[in-house]
Amino acid sequence: MSIANQLSLPQQKLSGTVILEPSKSISNRALIIRSLCKDPFEIHRLSTSDDTDALIAMLASTDEVLYSGHAGSSYRFMVARACLGDREVKIDASEQLRRRPIGPLVKALQALGADITYLNKEGFPPLQVRPTNKLGVDVNEVTLQAGISSQYLTALLLIAPMLPKGLTIHLTGELVSASYVQMTLAMMSYFGIQHQWTDDTIRIEHGAYIAKDYAVEGDWSAASYFYSMAALAEQAEIFIEGLKEDSIQGDAVTKDIYAQLGVETTFTENGLVINKKGIKEKLKEFKYDFSLCPDIAQTVMVTLAGLGVKGVLTGLKTLRIKETDRILAMFTELERVKTKLLVKEEGEELTVILVGKAKWKDRGRFNTYEDHRMAMAFTPLACIHPVIIKDPDVVSKSYPGFWKDIATIGIKCEKIKVK
């Protein structure tokens, strides 16, 4: 037997206030930048996620072994950061993260003179990083495969000013999740580091980060789940505190996506209000390219299934190598509620066509595959009919307060035992 969350919506309307979890993506970048600053500075509203906690622990540790757990971005950023260190460290991870590739980043760092060794399977964690005085001395120009993960590029960009001759990065292939790279560069600019980006080449000069206090925005990826709940409820009025209209996050397009699905956004001084007032004319087909916002794709798939709107979704190739194969996981779990995912893969392009309206008897049961976004993406279906989310604690990876926050707007959450 294991513990699961049984979720339902006892009333017609969702309403209440949510103080949104700070962005872990922004938090992790700010932590690396602070670790590279000569002077300390305050980071206000730091994420409380497992991923950010893992990075904080690794940066503060004096142990020979650093452990990242499931935290992919924390692992990749720490590998690059450790190459600037003065001691030998082993950087390990959970079994899940050991299955996620690290090869392109390691290859680029080794080309710059880093001393990195694979301790198990080549191309994957864990790694041994030894100190060297050669990093960026003889070579300050690398080529990086850009079509796998933007986190590799961000890891290199964050340490680039520390290299004695700066760093030039040539990108090959189509850059994925470019909005996260733009986030990185915007934060570096805030801390005094400029860049030149021409065609497929990014140049960062040698320089020093300037210590300045920093306030972390609320997480737009987390906000997407509340937009999904609003879209699937009969009525909704939810105030979300901590989001900005001029956000540096690519997932801020959530407001535009859900405007097509009947959810209105009004910004306030401290955040925004999302509203759904009654049933609007149903959208017949929804098309969107998620190349810049892959983390909200699962949420939108579930929303479309709940509304019975046909979806044609592109820009999803990175979902194959996240915490789980998210395409396969979505195919399997949506099939439980009579919704089909048709997957087309042509070269590097992956298109999903979603057909059917979600329906189920009794309580729909959903597996989460050790993936926080699977748990949160399927929660909004509770606005239609009760559901059961297995392994609910997985949300702590990015949003520890998720179950508490959905209760504040009217979702009933009960712990139950399941086989």
Side-chain angles (χ1 to χ4, degrees), residues 10 32 159 281 330:
I32 293 292
I159 68 165
E281 183 179 350
M330 291 301 295

Side-chain angles (χ1 to χ4, degrees), residues 9 96 100:
L9 179 59
Q96 181 200 68
R100 296 176 65 182

Side-chain angles (χ1 to χ4, degrees), residues 305-306 334-339 356-362 364 366 381 384-385:
L334 284 174
E335 196 170 41
R336 296 178 186 276
V337 289
K338 315 301 181 187
T339 306
K357 180 174 174 58
K359 51 186 176 182
W360 64 98
K361 295 179 180 180
D362 191 26
F366 299 102
L381 289 182
I384 300 174
H385 194 68

Side-chain angles (χ1 to χ4, degrees), residues 12-143:
Q12 289 186 333
K13 184 176 181 179
L14 287 172
S15 63
T17 298
V18 174
I19 301 174
L20 201 63
E21 171 73 17
S23 166
K24 72 180 179 70
S25 298
I26 294 176
S27 295
N28 288 359
R29 286 160 172 78
L31 284 167
I32 293 292
I33 290 171
R34 185 169 68 179
S35 78
L36 294 170
C37 268
K38 180 180 178 181
D39 300 312
F41 63 85
E42 291 291 328
I43 303 175
H44 302 289
R45 294 193 73 244
L46 198 62
S47 171
T48 60
S49 67
D50 288 352
D51 282 21
T52 297
D53 284 348
L55 184 56
I56 291 171
M58 288 191 291
L59 287 169
S61 177
T62 57
D63 296 339
E64 294 180 0
V65 179
L66 306 180
Y67 184 69
S68 183
H70 290 339
S73 65
S74 302
Y75 190 95
R76 290 157 179 170
F77 296 174
M78 194 65 213
V79 168
R81 177 64 182 86
C83 291
L84 295 171
D86 57 3
R87 64 190 181 91
E88 181 174 334
V89 292
K90 173 184 175 182
I91 310 179
D92 206 350
S94 67
E95 285 300 319
Q96 181 200 68
L97 188 53
R98 283 185 173 198
R99 297 191 294 268
R100 296 176 65 182
I102 191 73
L105 174 59
V106 171
K107 182 179 179 181
L109 288 166
Q110 288 173 331
L112 291 171
D115 187 348
I116 305 176
T117 304
Y118 291 109
L119 296 177
N120 194 353
K121 182 180 178 182
E122 185 168 348
F124 297 86
L127 300 171
Q128 193 84 28
V129 180
R130 297 179 178 85
T132 176
N133 57 9
K134 296 181 180 179
L135 193 69
V137 174
D138 297 324
V139 177
N140 70 326
E141 201 164 335
V142 294
T143 298

Side-chain angles (χ1 to χ4, degrees), residues 173-187:
E174 183 180 355
L175 176 62
V176 296
S177 304
S179 61
Y180 285 94
V181 177
Q182 291 161 356
M183 173 196 293
T184 302
L185 293 170
M187 291 184 66

Side-chain angles (χ1 to χ4, degrees), residues 269-297:
E269 183 178 351
N270 298 318
L272 57 82
V273 179
I274 55 178
N275 279 280
K276 180 183 177 182
K277 299 177 181 178
I279 299 173
K280 295 191 174 184
E281 183 179 350
K282 179 180 173 181
L283 185 71
K284 293 181 179 179
E285 184 175 272
F286 173 87
K287 294 183 177 181
Y288 202 82
D289 181 349
F290 286 85
S291 297
L292 297 178
C293 53
D295 283 345
I296 62 173

